[in-house]
Amino acid sequence: MSEEKNTDRYTKETQLIYGKAHSMKWDYDHHVVPPITSSATYRLDSAQRGAQGFIEFAHTTKETKNKQPILIYDRLGEPNKDILEENLAYAEGGESAVSFACGMAAISGILGVLTKSGDDIIAHRTMYGCTYSLLTNWYPRLNISVQLLNLHDLDMLHSAIRQETRVIYFESPVNPTLTLLDIGAIASLVRQINETRSEEERIHIVVDNTFATPYCQRPLELGADFVVHSLTKGIGGFGTDMGGVVIGPEKHRDMLLLYRKDFGGVLSPKAAWPVLVYGLPTLSLRVQRQIETTMKIARFLETHPKVKAVSYPGLPSFPQYELAQKQMYNYEGAFAPGTLMYFTLKSDSPQDSRDKGEALINTIADNAYAITLAVSLGHTRTLIEHPGSMTHSAIPAEEQVQRGMDPGGIRLSVGIERAEDIIQDLEEGLARI
Ligand SMILES: *Cc1c(COP(=O)(O)O)cnc(C)c1O
């Protein structure tokens, strides 16, 4: 392998294509892209080397970091996901990354490592439906309490923090309403409280950055401790495979690896490979194009007579436009308001709103070419869905309204098609309802 190259003088966009110039994880020097690996178990050569492998696993030291790992068994570690993890940490500006089978495995992984029976988690009250279900259905069974709060209200957050609180968890932009939480402000409040606490009692901030992708927002730079992503979404980008990742301080890496070893939830190398070879290298290209298109669609919808409101952080009418400009920026520092929007239709009542939203989605499902009715997001194809009855159906309908969700609210995840084609499909759909 060639000498370590100084990659710092290259832009992040180029670094996303190449990753680390020199990885200790695997010697594939004569392949231009890392080959796909497919081996559940590894030859250990001698009992001594096998034993050494088990000693070194999840035992990060300066020494183990700078030598090739002894590969033992896929669930512990293997080249494709090990290299992907290095590149994901790089993309997010974090020290270390641990991959998981999907976003939910990553979320339960980091919460599993940071909490135990008797602890308390505070989360923003609006979030992805399965995360809501994890927090409200499963953690109480483990004697972990969960407080769902409006984290826009920092005074309320301050007074809700208990001695047992270990995690503050949220998404920004929030799924599906696209409202933002002020990552820097929450981090500075938590930093103050942590100054009075021992290391074991520290509160950690975990941000689900799936909506923004690291191209648009890097919460670690803003003071968060951990970032989680569903790699199934914007980072994977092509919608072919599921994956998840936790990115954060090196000192937690070993615990995350041990957790993943024992609870399972391992990312398959066959799912890690497309993220490594297609997803990350095209991230900036895709997201740049998607942002431009999202902006055009948001402007079109905002002026449409049948549309009540459009929530997109890139619109000057967005209530938190200033905050958006402060915390959503790309690697070059330019405003990067993301690739998703949430909009509502004019209606006479909540039921009418829901009926109209469903009618629009159904006519698009029947007639559109450049928009697909499907959950998921961050895809090359534009996807439309109704969060109230789909991705967020785990949240009871009355609570959805309390949490800022409109009964007829529609989520649009913009793909890489040309803007005019998507707008044409929306225009025709709106004309039919
Ligand atoms: C999809 C999604 C998840 C869950 O990810 P999976 O890969 O489907 O497990 C978590 N958070 C957000 C914001 C998501 O959109």
Side-chain angles (χ1 to χ4, degrees):
M1 275 218 183
S2 53
E3 287 293 295
E4 184 92 41
K5 288 183 182 135
N6 175 14
T7 56
D8 293 347
R9 60 203 179 90
Y10 296 92
T11 63
K12 203 71 168 190
E13 286 181 28
T14 297
Q15 291 174 358
L16 286 181
I17 298 164
Y18 290 88
K20 286 202 139 177
H22 181 87
S23 172
M24 287 310 296
K25 300 295 182 190
W26 200 25
D27 186 354
Y28 60 92
D29 224 17
H30 291 97
H31 290 75
V32 172
V33 293
I36 187 164
T37 61
S38 193
S39 182
T41 191
Y42 292 85
R43 181 174 289 121
L44 291 167
D45 297 334
S46 69
Q48 289 72 20
R49 187 167 173 277
Q52 189 60 28
F54 278 96
I55 290 171
E56 288 176 11
F57 171 71
H59 218 97
T60 308
T61 61
K62 252 202 196 106
E63 244 169 46
T64 58
K65 262 176 69 178
N66 290 316
K67 68 188 271 290
Q68 272 202 330
I70 298 174
L71 299 170
I72 302 170
Y73 188 61
D74 184 339
R75 180 155 40 75
L76 278 58
E78 64 73 49
N80 278 168
K81 60 178 169 281
D82 291 357
I83 299 171
L84 173 65
E85 287 168 2
E86 286 186 335
N87 292 5
L88 286 167
Y90 220 49
E92 194 65 59
E95 283 178 7
S96 148
V98 176
S99 62
F100 285 87
C102 64
M104 289 315 302
I107 293 167
S108 53
I110 185 59
L111 294 178
V113 162
L114 295 177
T115 59
K116 59 178 180 351
S117 172
D119 287 346
D120 175 62
I121 297 172
I122 293 179
H124 183 59
R125 57 184 188 167
T126 315
M127 66 189 115
Y128 181 62
C130 298
T131 313
Y132 176 88
S133 174
L134 174 73
L135 293 177
T136 56
N137 292 325
W138 295 99
Y139 284 144
R141 291 170 41 140
L142 304 176
N143 191 34
I144 295 167
S145 65
V146 175
Q147 303 185 66
L148 299 181
L149 304 176
N150 176 6
L151 296 190
H152 294 113
D153 186 341
L154 291 181
D155 292 335
M156 193 204 270
L157 170 61
H158 197 167
S159 53
I161 290 174
R162 310 203 323 245
Q163 203 52 42
E164 296 80 24
T165 303
R166 291 288 165 274
V167 175
I168 314 263
Y169 183 93
F170 58 90
E171 302 161 0
S172 185
V174 170
N175 187 353
T177 55
L178 274 304
T179 52
L180 308 183
L181 288 164
D182 190 334
I183 302 171
I186 295 173
S188 77
L189 170 65
V190 171
R191 201 178 307 120
Q192 268 174 28
I193 296 172
N194 278 335
E195 275 169 15
T196 66
R197 294 192 171 205
S198 67
E199 189 55 31
E200 297 77 62
E201 301 201 310
R202 220 177 151 247
I203 304 165
H204 292 96
I205 298 176
V206 180
V207 178
D208 182 338
N209 200 29
T210 300
F211 263 39
T213 83
Y215 181 80
C216 296
Q217 176 175 273
R218 288 157 309 282
L220 301 177
E221 280 173 13
L222 302 165
D225 298 293
F226 294 93
V227 160
V228 292
H229 280 285
S230 167
L231 300 176
T232 320
K233 313 291 171 55
I235 294 182
F238 293 83
T240 57
D241 295 272
M242 303 211 73
V245 68
V246 177
I247 302 160
E250 177 103 62
K251 67 177 179 202
H252 288 84
R253 178 175 171 77
D254 291 343
M255 275 294 274
L256 282 161
L257 289 175
L258 291 170
Y259 187 96
R260 187 179 70 178
K261 168 178 81 71
D262 295 340
F263 283 81
V266 189
L267 182 65
S268 154
K270 294 187 191 74
W273 188 81
V275 184
L276 181 62
V277 175
Y278 303 123
L280 272 181
T282 60
L283 178 71
S284 53
L285 200 60
R286 286 183 287 114
V287 177
Q288 265 170 42
R289 158 85 168 211
Q290 287 165 315
I291 291 172
E292 278 171 34
T293 309
T294 314
M295 199 64 213
K296 289 181 192 161
I297 297 170
R299 287 215 175 93
F300 159 75
L301 285 174
E302 195 175 38
T303 53
H304 195 284
K306 290 188 180 169
V307 173
K308 184 167 103 190
V310 179
S311 178
Y312 177 56
L315 285 175
S317 63
F318 185 69
Q320 299 168 292
Y321 189 58
E322 250 176 60
L323 177 60
Q325 287 173 305
K326 200 174 84 184
Q327 71 183 19
M328 299 188 79
Y329 48 86
N330 69 15
Y331 294 118
E332 253 66 66
F335 187 34
T339 65
L340 279 122
M341 75 180 73
Y342 183 71
F343 66 96
T344 49
L345 301 171
K346 284 184 187 152
S347 63
D348 308 327
S349 66
Q351 187 57 45
D352 183 42
S353 169
R354 190 176 169 129
D355 293 346
K356 289 210 167 96
E358 267 175 22
L360 178 62
I361 282 186
N362 282 336
T363 179
I364 281 176
D366 279 344
N367 300 296
Y369 173 68
I371 306 175
T372 306
L373 167 56
V375 300
S376 199
L377 54 104
H379 203 285
T380 47
R381 299 183 182 210
T382 294
L383 306 179
I384 198 165
E385 68 121 357
H386 176 232
S389 66
M390 298 173 189
T391 46
H392 292 66
S393 53
I395 306 177
E398 324 77 71
E399 288 186 33
Q400 289 183 12
V401 177
Q402 279 170 24
R403 282 149 212 239
M405 288 173 59
D406 184 285
I410 293 168
R411 191 183 78 184
L412 192 71
S413 164
V414 175
I416 60 172
E417 307 90 342
R418 282 192 66 104
E420 51 266 47
D421 292 326
I422 303 166
I423 290 173
Q424 175 177 293
D425 277 342
L426 283 169
E427 199 160 30
E428 290 176 8
L430 285 162
R432 277 194 210 95
I433 60 162

